[in-house]
Amino acid sequence: MTSFVLVHGAFRGGWAWSRVRPLLAAAGHDVHAPSLIGAGEHVGRIAEVTGLDVWVDQVTALIELEDLADVVLVGHSQGGLVTTAVAARVPDRIAALVHLDAAVPAPGERAVDMMPGAGTLPPREATVPSRPVSTESGEYDAATVAWLNARLTASPMAPALDRVPVVPSGIPETFVFCARTPDGYPSGATRARVEALGVEPVVIEAGHDAPLSAPAEVARILLAHSTTSPTKDSSHDR
């Protein structure tokens, strides 16, 4: 049995993994998909998010209190900031790190450094309002659009202003990108950087919200990292 810890992206909560979780659990694995403080059921606590460490402390505490080992740690989109920092915090508990269309700054960079023309930095207490989705992109059907938009929340800016640590070299990293992610997303900057380093990523035919729009494909990739799986997707050190 493998312990999967799934960390959602901006504007979402642990609910964003609701279509992936049962597929991993049905394969006999232990699955944790917390809502980060300020998101999901914790939306009323957004003022507590004064920096990236608030989320890193939260996920690290989950791993330690549940006494999880050989964790497959998965960060989607903005969640990549959190999972990268958690891996650096408790490397002895992490078996693999999967970056799913994630924002993964270069060692020592901040998420804001990945955005073109960042200019003057916003105040640390600022929040970014959610952007409703629609059926126009072709990624979601009408029912998913309504379900998703009812759950989206603002996201705090503070974590994007903090530098992200280096992942210890002993932890294998897999970079997975979605072929239909629009231009301008931070995952595009991640992909350009890792490909320039000679890393060959896994690319799936999906939009950016793959945990909701392509859950079977996401689960297939994650299950390839389980300790009971006969095969593994190739992983790459950053």
Side-chain angles (χ1 to χ4, degrees), residues 6-216:
L6 315 175
V7 180
H8 62 83
F11 316 116
R12 285 142 182 81
W15 53 262
W17 295 101
S18 61
R19 298 179 180 178
V20 174
R21 288 196 318 256
L23 302 178
L24 302 180
H29 300 296
D30 182 32
V31 186
H32 302 263
S35 289
L36 297 172
I37 294 170
E41 66 272 24
H42 303 305
V43 63
R45 300 173 60 190
I46 193 169
E48 297 177 29
V49 187
T50 55
L52 180 59
D53 275 349
V54 172
W55 287 343
V56 176
D57 290 346
Q58 178 190 358
V59 177
T60 299
L62 167 67
I63 291 172
E64 292 180 335
L65 291 172
E66 293 282 352
D67 200 18
L68 304 181
D70 296 324
V71 172
V72 175
L73 185 58
V74 186
H76 174 237
S77 195
Q78 181 182 251
L81 306 177
V82 183
T83 52
T84 298
V86 170
R89 183 83 65 84
V90 285
D92 56 315
R93 292 182 180 266
I94 310 302
L97 188 56
V98 180
H99 306 290
L100 176 57
D101 221 32
V104 184
E109 277 191 335
R110 306 163 298 180
V112 291
D113 298 325
M114 304 177 70
M115 303 301 294
T120 303
L121 295 179
R124 186 165 283 270
E125 65 273 15
T127 61
V128 181
S130 63
R131 293 175 292 181
V133 303
S134 72
T135 58
E136 294 181 4
S137 67
E139 182 172 7
Y140 319 97
D141 58 27
T144 300
V145 165
W147 183 87
L148 208 165
N149 284 338
R151 289 162 172 78
L152 295 176
T153 57
S155 187
M157 176 60 67
L161 303 177
D162 291 336
R163 301 191 185 280
V164 178
V166 178
V167 175
S169 60
I171 298 177
E173 299 179 70
T174 297
F175 291 86
V176 182
F177 296 105
C178 299
R180 297 198 291 274
T181 296
D183 293 339
Y185 277 56
S187 57
T190 305
R191 182 174 180 178
R193 178 175 62 79
V194 299
E195 287 183 338
L197 293 172
V199 173
E200 182 178 352
V202 177
V203 180
I204 60 175
E205 284 298 324
H208 179 66
D209 250 330
L212 289 172
S213 59

